[in-house]
Amino acid sequence: MEISTPLMLGLLAVASFGLAYLGSSVGLVLGQFRVPLLVWWLASPLAGLATSLAISTVGALVGAVRHATDGRVRPRLLLTVGVPSGLAAYAATQFAGSVDERLLEAVIGVVLVVSGGFLLRPQRGDDKPASAAESSTQAPVVRRGTLIAELLIGVVLGTLTAFSGLLLGTLRLPLLLRFTDTGARAAVGSNMAIGALTGLLVGVSTLLEGHVDLLTFSVLAPATLLGSALGARATGRMSRGALRRLIAVMLVIVGLWMAGAALESLLRATA
């Protein structure tokens, strides 16, 4: 039984809304789940990837604006993580063909599962609401070690982005939580803002090159916008523990998805 185009686009829009809501609430884009749906629907890996990236960028921009309005974006991280990430991604593109992206995605997936597992461990004060200082837009005093860690995160993830074709917000978020002095809410907002800036540069390029399916984009983008805005709003309503647990669960799910899909592809190629 064939599904009509309007009905299928409607189902894809609902799925995109759900992904945007969940992703934005924890500072992620979750394009890994949308890509296979659009590749199947558009019957073209290039069109599916480009259209999903354009939709993800729109959602990330809206989510980032909402997070910034609520004081959850740290401008310092845009400079210390976002700028090095973009420069490294640009410089590494000429070497991208030398790495098997399936193996890289499998490794990233395993790292995400391990990171999510560590975040699931209970910590003191998890169920307390955020303090006013945690949501403050004032930048904390930056230690030299923290600044170096942020620069390294940007360079390493920018390089991996060039090799994998993914924005890697799912990998950036646990690194921000672990190696910077940023609280969970600020890490969520800053991570989405960094992803939005990176995606905007790449997304505009793919749109100008004509790889984006405009009909699919025009239907899914509004649903993604709404889901992203509502998800970002929900971030401020959760306790620190609930937010951290949600982040951990999403990291584990995305990690298992990425690792499983990549390993399956590698096994098929070697069979």
Side-chain angles (χ1 to χ4, degrees):
M1 178 180 177
E2 293 186 0
I3 303 177
S4 65
T5 297
L7 177 58
M8 191 63 226
L9 286 175
L11 294 174
L12 290 173
V14 171
S16 192
F17 170 86
L19 290 174
Y21 182 90
L22 289 174
S24 185
S25 66
V26 293
L28 303 175
V29 177
L30 299 182
Q32 293 93 334
F33 297 106
R34 187 188 301 106
V35 166
L37 293 175
L38 294 187
V39 169
W40 167 77
W41 170 244
L42 298 173
S44 167
L46 181 59
L49 286 169
T51 304
S52 180
L53 180 59
I55 294 169
S56 293
T57 300
V58 169
L61 284 169
V62 171
V65 169
R66 178 70 195 199
H67 284 301
T69 301
D70 292 341
R72 292 190 291 270
V73 174
R74 296 292 182 263
R76 185 192 83 237
L77 293 178
L78 297 182
L79 294 175
T80 59
V81 179
V83 172
S85 181
L87 293 176
Y90 177 80
T93 51
Q94 57 183 317
F95 306 107
S98 61
V99 176
D100 191 326
E101 65 179 32
R102 296 168 299 182
L103 180 60
L104 184 62
E105 289 178 16
V107 173
I108 292 173
V110 172
V111 172
L112 293 181
V113 172
V114 174
S115 299
F118 278 112
L119 286 176
L120 282 173
R121 296 182 300 177
Q123 295 182 2
R124 181 180 301 177
D126 269 352
D127 296 323
K128 295 180 180 180
S131 64
E134 191 177 45
S135 300
S136 172
T137 57
Q138 295 182 353
V141 176
V142 185
R143 296 186 297 271
R144 180 178 298 179
T146 299
L147 183 60
I148 293 174
E150 292 170 1
L151 292 171
L152 287 175
I153 290 171
V155 171
V156 171
L157 292 191
T159 303
L160 292 177
T161 292
F163 290 145
S164 68
L166 300 172
L167 295 180
L168 298 179
T170 46
L171 189 54
R172 187 189 309 111
L173 181 56
L175 291 175
L176 292 180
L177 290 170
R178 174 65 178 83
F179 294 107
T180 75
D181 55 4
T182 305
R185 284 175 170 78
V188 164
S190 300
N191 186 51
M192 177 146 278
I194 294 169
L197 290 175
T198 306
L200 184 62
L201 294 174
V202 183
V204 169
S205 175
T206 57
L207 184 63
L208 293 177
E209 291 173 1
H211 299 314
V212 176
D213 185 87
L214 296 180
L215 174 61
T216 303
F217 176 82
S218 65
V219 175
L220 269 61
T224 304
L225 288 172
L226 180 60
S228 187
L230 294 177
R233 182 181 180 185
T235 303
R237 298 178 177 180
M238 288 184 277
S239 68
R240 285 175 290 181
L243 178 59
R244 191 172 55 80
R245 286 189 292 270
L246 181 57
I247 291 172
V249 170
M250 294 308 300
L251 291 178
V252 170
I253 292 174
V254 174
L256 290 173
W257 174 283
M258 289 182 64
L263 290 174
E264 181 185 4
S265 180
L266 284 170
L267 289 174
R268 283 203 309 266
T270 56

